[in-house]
Amino acid sequence: DTSKGYLTPEEWHEEMKKMKDASESEQNPDEKKTVLIDCRNHKEFEIGHFENALDPNTKTFEQFPRWVQENKSALKDKKILMYCTGGIRCEKASAYMRRELETCAGAASVQHLKGGIHKYLDKFGGDGFFAGSNFVFDRRVGVDADEHVQKKGGDGVVAKRIVGQCLYCENKYDKFTADAVCTVCRELTLICEDCKTGLNGEYHCADHQHLRNCYFTNLHRFSESELKSQLHELGFFFEKIAVGKRYKQKRRTLHRQMNRIAQLLSRIENGSVKEMNTSTIVCRSCGDVNCDGKCWGVHGLKRKHVLLGSDPSATPKKSVRLSSNKRSNKSLRKEREIAEIKRLNLSKPPNSYRCTETSIRCPPPFTRVLSTSVKGKWVGKSVQSVLQSEFHHFEDTQRLDELFKMSLVRLNDIPVNSEAALIRGTQTADAVSQDTPLKNMDIICRITHWHEPPVLVPTNISLQKIDLSQDVIDNLMSGGDHSEGDFVIYCVDKPSSVPVHPTGPYLQNSLTLMVEAQEELEPRSLLPCHRLDRCTSGLTLCCTNSAVARLIQVQMDNKEVEKVYVAKVKGQFMPKDSLYLRVVNDDEFLFEAPIDVVDVKKGLRAVSEKGKPAITKFKLLGYDRGSDHSLVECEPLTGRQHQLRVHLQALGFPIHNDVLYNENSEFGNKSLKQEAIKAVKKASEYEMTPPVLGEGVSIRDATAAKRVSLVCQGKVEEEFNSSQLLGGGAVIDLHARKYLINFNKKQKDGSKISLGALECKIGIPTWARAFKNTEEVYDKVMSAWLDEAS
């Protein structure tokens, strides 16, 4: 709660006075329990602060929560006073401090200066308890206390108190200048004018003083022997931090500098550098010989233009973001996934692990490692709290404790073990506590005995391959990567119950993985151009070229794709008058009803005025009076999730077997669900020889993971929900039948030139082909539809 703990400048002044009196006298012992904390960064503290203030020695405000975690035991019985420049940082810091201290002490007294140093100096100036200059984030950098008084009309005759000191000679000095930045990290550094002479514009901050003899920007002023000496010394420091994720950025910095030196030495040996230039000083930031240093930090308002040598008044170029599969982190993750699929031999065609009697496919389990990087909102929270709040598998505290005891949860490859709670919040070489606060770039891993829900598949998944026309390739893909793959669209007939791509508990049972194995493609090479719900069957467009996938996605976004579905619904499809309904003719209707999310957790949607526009065209094909079902052709003119299911429910004709949008629907085929449970249990009994283990998993880890697996304990229905076990909602009578993709090239005047259309279609499902129409009036419509569909 950031609304607590405010102290006005007057109240703050009284607190400072009490602290000063307590430090000079033994008569106020309670005031000696007061701790004054500066929430600003170290460089701000260096040139000015309140008397007796504590410096957390942070470089960024992001590091402050970590400092609190490390020191909260020492602070829990103290009265805490906090301040910052303008009051924003200390407002957040005090709320965080109050929450953390209340968890370990039950009560906490945490207060902060309202309006920060600015408001305090406006009121008291140099007569107050603030000594030195107030760091500001503009070209002034530091503002003296008496300047605030002058602006308020005071006489400004207070003598200036300098608290900063030169990093090199330790004389009094508090002026940050544009040219005095660390040559390693570019942090502003306090260096007096006398010390600048002879340093050749190369300065090192307090954190990088150990590199002052080996890390320089201007390498051309050194001899070959000096460069070799620098390279040797940098190698020494690199070896000291060669292991550990926490040193990743430091290793990168040293490695980059070592490469610069090595390249220069190579050029010297090859004779390409004939004479070293010992007089030219190049700016660390922009590389300009004549730079005055005002291209960086709080001074560099136009730094980007300085670095690029561009005109500040010129129109900025539009940045182009790489597609998701081209970004480095996405590429690395994809490489790891491919390596896992190949190592564990997970790519199998649909007829593998398939029961011929029930058509249920359930692959055997294996041990794998699941990992996730820490998100920004998790930083500062404990490992246990994040696992329980973000992952439903860990909601059961008893089960989570069991995973901790068996060291199946890891933080940066170190087991999170509940036995380490004796050293709560600290880290050892063998284990970390579940109370350890998470940091940025931490990685949480879980070793699991991986079981997959069963799916219903044929022995061979039907598909067609269609080539893009040369006109489309030449006119709409001129900027694409033509070397990445072919220009073929795979029209795949996705079975119900099968997800399009690996997601949630599905990996081997995903459509793309099975088709890749069936067609002998490389793992993760088949790219879906769109998605279908897991419970929906029908046409799914895929390709092996990311440029083709982007093209199809663009056509869908531009509403250039006509989609046709078929659905079996409850009742005789004759919609009644509605605010959103428009009758096209006797058998065709247009339904324009906005759709909004009503239950985020379940993914449930409904017609709502607050929702996004959604339009669907419906056509009645036939009616079976015996079963009271209608066959309806559906054409979504917009692309909202669950659009057809929501619109049909809103009209009063829910899709057959759709448990999510039909309250009166039966909860699936109970016998099929029982067969699915048997299939999962049977698969769990299958032991591979040798055992299938993920990377970094030992036999001991695999045995422990299997021991705590719910499926291996016979608790299949606790591990998977009813839909995942082929119960209610796993299969619905909705089928994507045909997509007509129109390719148009847009001209400068806004007009379009047609490059043709591509029709992608597949056959109709068994339940649609077997549909019995009992109304003669629909015989011709039904017959024509069946002929066209076949």
Side-chain angles (χ1 to χ4, degrees):
D1 187 355
T2 58
S3 64
K4 297 180 180 179
Y6 287 109
L7 289 178
T8 64
E10 293 81 3
E11 292 170 334
W12 182 268
H13 189 74
E14 289 300 317
E15 291 291 341
M16 295 298 101
K17 188 175 180 180
K18 291 178 184 177
M19 283 189 65
K20 184 176 180 180
D21 293 342
S23 64
E24 297 174 352
S25 172
E26 296 293 335
Q27 297 181 7
N28 295 310
D30 291 340
E31 292 302 326
K32 290 190 175 182
K33 292 184 178 180
T34 301
V35 177
L36 178 61
I37 301 175
D38 193 322
C39 298
R40 302 173 301 161
N41 300 328
H42 177 65
K43 65 173 177 284
E44 302 171 65
F45 180 88
E46 276 189 297
I47 62 171
H49 51 262
F50 282 99
E51 298 174 11
N52 300 315
L54 184 63
D55 176 22
N57 199 26
T58 59
K59 273 196 172 183
T60 64
F61 187 57
E62 184 183 43
Q63 297 171 353
F64 189 82
R66 191 185 310 169
W67 181 86
V68 173
Q69 291 293 332
E70 293 170 354
N71 295 276
K72 63 181 181 181
S73 296
L75 297 172
K76 63 181 181 180
D77 296 324
K78 301 290 192 298
K79 177 181 179 181
I80 309 297
L81 300 178
M82 311 175 77
Y83 69 92
C84 62
T85 305
I88 301 299
R89 282 180 287 181
C90 59
E91 183 181 80
K92 296 180 178 180
S94 64
Y96 179 80
M97 176 81 77
R98 188 178 300 109
R99 188 190 71 185
E100 292 302 309
L101 293 183
E102 286 175 352
T103 58
C104 65
S109 174
V110 183
Q111 296 174 301
H112 62 275
L113 174 58
K114 186 175 183 179
I117 301 170
H118 276 304
K119 293 297 183 184
Y120 180 83
L121 293 182
D122 284 347
K123 183 70 177 177
F124 296 99
D127 291 327
F129 292 97
F130 186 84
S133 300
N134 182 25
F135 187 99
V136 292
F137 293 89
D138 57 35
R139 296 194 180 191
R140 296 173 298 167
V141 185
V143 179
D144 296 337
D146 54 347
E147 289 185 34
H148 287 261
V149 178
Q150 289 173 9
K151 290 180 181 179
K152 291 292 181 180
D155 53 17
V157 295
V158 180
K160 181 180 179 181
R161 291 174 287 177
I162 299 177
V163 298
Q165 63 180 24
C166 173
L167 183 61
Y168 284 77
C169 68
E170 299 185 356
N171 288 332
K172 292 288 185 181
Y173 188 75
D174 67 350
K175 291 291 184 185
F176 284 115
T177 56
D179 59 332
V181 295
C182 177
T183 196
V184 181
C185 64
R186 290 181 283 192
E187 185 79 359
L188 286 169
T189 307
L190 278 178
I191 304 173
C192 68
E193 296 301 321
D194 293 336
C195 289
K196 288 181 183 179
T197 306
L199 292 176
N200 295 302
E202 303 265 11
Y203 315 116
H204 296 78
C205 68
D207 288 343
H208 295 116
Q209 280 293 299
H210 63 291
L211 300 177
R212 62 191 296 178
N213 295 321
C214 60
Y215 195 113
F216 300 96
T217 298
N218 300 287
L219 297 177
H220 285 272
R221 61 189 180 88
F222 296 102
S223 65
E224 184 176 356
S225 61
E226 289 173 323
L227 290 173
K228 289 181 178 179
S229 176
Q230 292 175 22
L231 187 60
H232 176 75
E233 193 169 346
L234 286 170
F236 170 76
F237 288 118
F238 186 88
E239 286 298 322
K240 294 176 68 175
I241 58 172
V243 179
K245 189 173 181 65
R246 62 180 296 188
Y247 301 119
K248 179 180 178 181
Q249 188 57 46
K250 292 183 179 180
R251 288 196 298 268
R252 185 178 297 171
T253 300
L254 293 183
H255 190 264
R256 185 166 53 242
Q257 180 69 4
M258 292 165 69
N259 281 342
R260 289 184 64 228
I261 297 175
Q263 290 172 9
L264 181 56
L265 286 171
S266 177
R267 290 168 57 198
I268 293 173
E269 291 174 1
N270 295 335
S272 57
V273 178
K274 297 181 179 179
E275 185 178 350
M276 302 295 281
N277 189 340
T278 59
S279 59
T280 304
I281 305 298
V282 180
C283 174
R284 165 69 173 85
S285 299
C286 67
D288 187 359
V289 177
N290 300 316
C291 181
D292 60 357
K294 295 185 178 180
C295 65
W296 175 249
V298 294
H299 308 276
L301 302 182
K302 300 290 183 182
R303 176 175 181 266
K304 181 177 180 181
H305 300 293
V306 173
L307 293 176
L308 299 177
S310 57
D311 181 5
S313 61
T315 304
K317 293 182 179 180
K318 184 179 179 181
S319 62
V320 179
R321 191 185 187 200
L322 290 173
S323 61
S324 61
N325 61 318
K326 295 288 186 180
R327 294 174 212 146
S328 58
N329 60 332
K330 298 282 186 180
S331 299
L332 288 173
R333 187 172 69 182
K334 185 175 180 179
E335 288 174 8
R336 288 195 296 268
E337 291 171 354
I338 292 173
E340 181 185 48
I341 291 171
K342 289 182 176 180
R343 183 175 60 254
L344 302 179
N345 194 23
L346 303 180
S347 184
K348 300 285 187 181
N351 59 353
S352 298
Y353 314 125
R354 178 182 178 272
C355 176
T356 54
E357 296 177 359
T358 61
S359 299
I360 294 176
R361 184 181 194 264
C362 192
F366 60 94
T367 307
R368 68 184 304 208
V369 179
L370 304 178
S371 63
T372 179
S373 298
V374 168
K375 299 179 182 179
K377 64 179 181 178
W378 299 351
V379 173
K381 297 181 180 179
S382 69
V383 179
Q384 180 165 351
S385 65
V386 168
L387 291 176
Q388 289 188 309
S389 61
E390 300 290 335
F391 303 94
H392 73 274
H393 282 94
F394 301 127
E395 291 175 354
D396 184 356
T397 303
Q398 186 177 354
R399 174 170 163 76
L400 184 57
D401 286 341
E402 193 174 5
L403 295 178
F404 286 150
K405 288 178 182 178
M406 294 188 175
S407 299
L408 295 177
V409 179
R410 297 177 179 178
L411 178 64
N412 301 327
D413 290 331
I414 301 175
V416 179
N417 196 311
S418 58
E419 301 299 327
L422 296 174
I423 46 170
R424 301 178 77 87
T426 61
Q427 179 171 317
T428 68
D430 301 321
V432 293
S433 165
Q434 67 265 43
D435 296 321
T436 301
L438 295 172
K439 302 187 294 296
N440 189 30
M441 296 184 70
D442 278 349
I443 295 179
I444 304 174
C445 300
R446 173 169 68 104
I447 300 173
T448 180
H449 197 237
W450 181 264
H451 296 262
E452 289 196 41
V455 294
L456 293 169
V457 293
T459 55
N460 187 75
I461 294 177
S462 175
L463 61 83
Q464 289 180 307
K465 299 178 184 179
I466 302 178
D467 293 314
L468 284 178
S469 69
Q470 196 60 44
D471 280 349
V472 172
I473 296 172
D474 293 340
N475 289 279
L476 298 182
M477 301 181 62
S478 57
D481 183 3
H482 291 200
S483 64
E484 186 178 329
D486 52 30
F487 297 94
V488 175
I489 296 177
Y490 289 73
C491 302
V492 184
D493 188 359
K494 185 186 88 67
S496 297
S497 78
V498 177
V500 173
H501 54 79
T503 180
Y506 296 92
L507 178 62
Q508 300 179 76
N509 273 345
S510 61
L511 180 70
T512 53
L513 226 65
M514 288 188 285
V515 172
E516 285 164 354
Q518 176 182 297
E519 300 299 311
E520 298 182 348
L521 300 172
E522 282 293 310
R524 295 302 311 276
S525 62
L526 193 65
L527 309 173
C529 302
H530 62 105
R531 299 177 184 176
L532 284 182
D533 292 342
R534 179 166 55 87
C535 55
T536 304
S537 63
L539 179 59
T540 306
L541 303 182
C542 302
C543 59
T544 57
N545 189 333
S546 62
V548 175
R550 286 194 298 272
L551 174 65
I552 301 302
Q553 289 161 5
V554 167
Q555 301 307 110
M556 289 186 173
D557 292 341
N558 294 336
K559 296 182 174 57
E560 298 285 0
V561 180
E562 300 174 23
K563 307 174 185 178
V564 179
Y565 291 71
V566 62
K568 185 166 77 172
V569 301
K570 182 67 177 174
Q572 186 172 7
F573 189 75
M574 294 296 291
K576 299 177 181 179
D577 291 339
S578 168
L579 175 65
Y580 306 111
L581 186 68
R582 183 159 56 91
V583 179
V584 179
N585 55 48
D586 291 342
D587 301 322
E588 294 187 10
F589 309 88
L590 202 66
F591 193 58
E592 302 181 38
I595 294 176
D596 195 19
V597 180
V598 293
D599 190 328
V600 177
K601 192 171 183 179
K602 291 183 179 180
L604 192 66
R605 288 158 174 78
V607 170
S608 171
E609 288 292 343
K610 299 178 181 179
K612 296 180 180 180
I615 308 173
T616 308
K617 185 178 179 181
F618 295 106
K619 180 181 180 180
L620 177 60
L621 300 175
Y623 175 63
D624 181 4
R625 189 174 297 277
S627 63
D628 191 27
H629 285 120
S630 296
L631 198 64
V632 180
E633 188 174 76
C634 316
E635 187 176 343
L637 305 183
T638 53
R640 308 298 171 211
Q641 192 169 6
H642 294 184
Q643 177 173 319
L644 299 180
R645 300 165 70 182
V646 173
H647 276 182
L648 285 168
Q649 180 206 37
L651 287 170
F653 304 96
I655 296 174
H656 182 237
N657 288 332
D658 191 354
V659 175
L660 188 62
Y661 292 99
N662 184 4
E663 296 178 354
N664 299 321
S665 176
E666 296 180 3
F667 285 91
N669 188 329
K670 293 182 180 179
S671 61
L672 182 61
K673 181 178 178 180
Q674 292 303 316
E675 291 294 334
I677 294 174
K678 290 179 183 178
V680 175
K681 290 181 178 180
K682 185 177 180 180
S684 67
E685 297 170 358
Y686 180 76
E687 291 289 343
M688 292 188 177
T689 306
V692 180
L693 304 177
E695 185 178 10
V697 179
S698 65
I699 296 293
R700 176 187 171 279
D701 294 331
T703 304
K706 184 175 181 180
R707 192 181 307 146
V708 299
S709 168
L710 291 176
V711 174
C712 291
Q713 295 173 11
K715 302 175 182 178
V716 178
E717 293 183 82
E718 290 185 29
E719 181 70 20
F720 304 123
N721 61 40
S722 178
S723 175
Q724 293 169 342
L725 292 173
L726 305 181
V731 177
I732 67 173
D733 291 350
L734 177 64
H735 182 80
R737 191 177 71 81
K738 179 173 71 175
Y739 290 167
L740 183 65
I741 308 172
N742 299 297
F743 295 106
N744 297 302
K745 184 177 181 180
K746 193 172 183 179
Q747 302 297 300
K748 292 182 179 179
D749 60 0
S751 61
K752 295 181 180 179
I753 296 179
S754 176
L755 300 175
L758 184 67
E759 185 179 61
C760 306
K761 66 178 182 179
I762 54 173
I764 58 177
T766 304
W767 53 262
R769 190 174 296 279
F771 186 83
K772 295 181 180 179
N773 174 52
T774 59
E775 305 298 302
E776 292 184 9
V777 68
Y778 303 124
D779 281 347
K780 290 184 179 179
V781 176
M782 189 73 180
S783 178
W785 180 80
L786 286 172
D787 290 342
E788 193 272 337
S790 60

